[in-house]
Amino acid sequence: MSETVAIVDYGSGNLRSAEKALARAASDNNIDAKVTVTDKPEIVASADRVILPGVGAFADCRAGLHALDGMVETITEQVIKKAKPFLGICVGMQLMAKEGHEFGIHSGFGWVNGNVTALEPKKSNLKIPHMGWNEITVSDTGKNHPVTKVLETGDHAYFVHSYHMKMNDLSMRYATSEYGETVTAIVGRDNMIGTQFHPEKSQAVGLKFLRAFLEWKP
């Protein structure tokens, strides 16, 4: 039976790259899924899976999302009440947190027990933003999760960010990376998962992650 995947378009994200990567992950693995980029709450409501991308500052992304009439309420209903599989990418993942501390303090969805703060690498030669390929380490929780168990410690993913999620509950942290400090790379709970890195830019690693997300039955 065909499934629909809605990528939320709120003016901030690598939408076409994500759309193409998901379509390829589906076709390469014989997954019957239709991927749609949309700014319409009713289309998100009718989808089987929801993806929230995000590029830029936490506050700007939050404002863009709230500017779409009914979108925040629709996403919340689909993810929390109807328990549809959800994937947040980059700032889309950060919006899952309680708060974002970028240009002030701004509330997130509050789905994951953590706050988004500035990267503060201890080595002076490490530049901000953190940009490029970096190694991920899968946590014990991540090794047992249906999506992240396809990844291996030592896999490399593509990051572009200046802020990251500081976790208050490490059971929700499925993978980390090192950039002068420990950086949360993947978070999740229940029917939701988020990546600080960009799976749509992470080549084979990203495609196997997206395949696992499309196959996931939480």
Side-chain angles (χ1 to χ4, degrees):
M1 181 178 176
S2 180
E3 284 197 339
T4 55
V5 182
I7 301 175
V8 181
D9 178 5
Y10 59 106
S12 180
N14 246 348
L15 302 176
R16 298 306 166 189
S17 295
E19 181 184 24
K20 289 180 180 178
L22 281 154
R24 180 176 173 184
S27 64
D28 285 356
N29 295 281
N30 296 314
I31 299 170
D32 190 1
K34 179 183 178 182
V35 182
T36 300
V37 174
T38 182
D39 61 359
K40 307 296 184 186
E42 60 269 24
I43 294 178
V44 174
S46 66
D48 298 295
R49 297 171 189 270
V50 180
I51 296 178
L52 184 67
V55 174
F58 186 103
D60 291 342
C61 289
R62 182 184 184 280
L65 195 58
H66 280 267
L68 296 178
D69 189 33
M71 184 61 82
V72 170
E73 294 80 4
T74 297
I75 293 173
T76 301
E77 180 180 20
Q78 301 312 304
V79 177
I80 300 301
K81 292 185 179 179
K82 297 190 176 180
K84 293 181 180 179
F86 171 88
L87 169 61
I89 298 174
C90 198
V91 182
M93 180 201 92
Q94 294 179 3
L95 289 167
M96 297 166 68
K98 289 185 173 183
E99 294 177 344
H101 297 188
E102 184 175 5
F103 304 118
I105 298 177
H106 311 276
S107 60
F109 282 112
W111 297 343
V112 174
N113 192 357
N115 295 317
V116 178
T117 63
L119 284 169
E120 297 179 337
K122 295 179 175 62
K123 297 179 181 178
S124 60
N125 64 321
L126 294 177
K127 296 180 180 179
I128 302 295
H130 169 206
M131 182 181 299
W133 294 89
N134 209 349
E135 183 177 309
I136 61 172
T137 298
V138 183
S139 70
D140 289 340
T141 306
K143 290 174 184 176
N144 294 306
H145 190 276
V147 178
T148 49
K149 72 180 183 180
V150 304
L151 303 176
E152 299 178 7
T153 293
D155 280 346
H156 284 73
Y158 191 84
F159 293 79
V160 183
H161 63 119
S162 300
Y163 284 70
H164 69 129
M165 196 185 296
K166 288 277 193 179
M167 301 301 296
N168 299 318
D169 184 347
L170 295 183
S171 71
M172 296 182 178
R173 190 169 73 181
Y174 295 171
T176 59
S177 189
E178 294 296 324
Y179 194 72
E181 62 178 318
T182 298
V183 175
T184 298
I186 305 175
V187 301
R189 56 165 272 235
D190 305 327
N191 56 301
M192 60 189 78
I193 196 163
T195 63
Q196 182 60 68
F197 61 85
H198 288 269
E200 76 279 8
K201 293 183 176 181
S202 296
Q203 300 181 5
V205 169
L207 288 173
K208 68 180 178 180
F209 175 87
L210 292 174
R211 181 205 77 211
F213 173 73
L214 291 172
E215 294 175 337
W216 184 30
K217 305 292 183 184

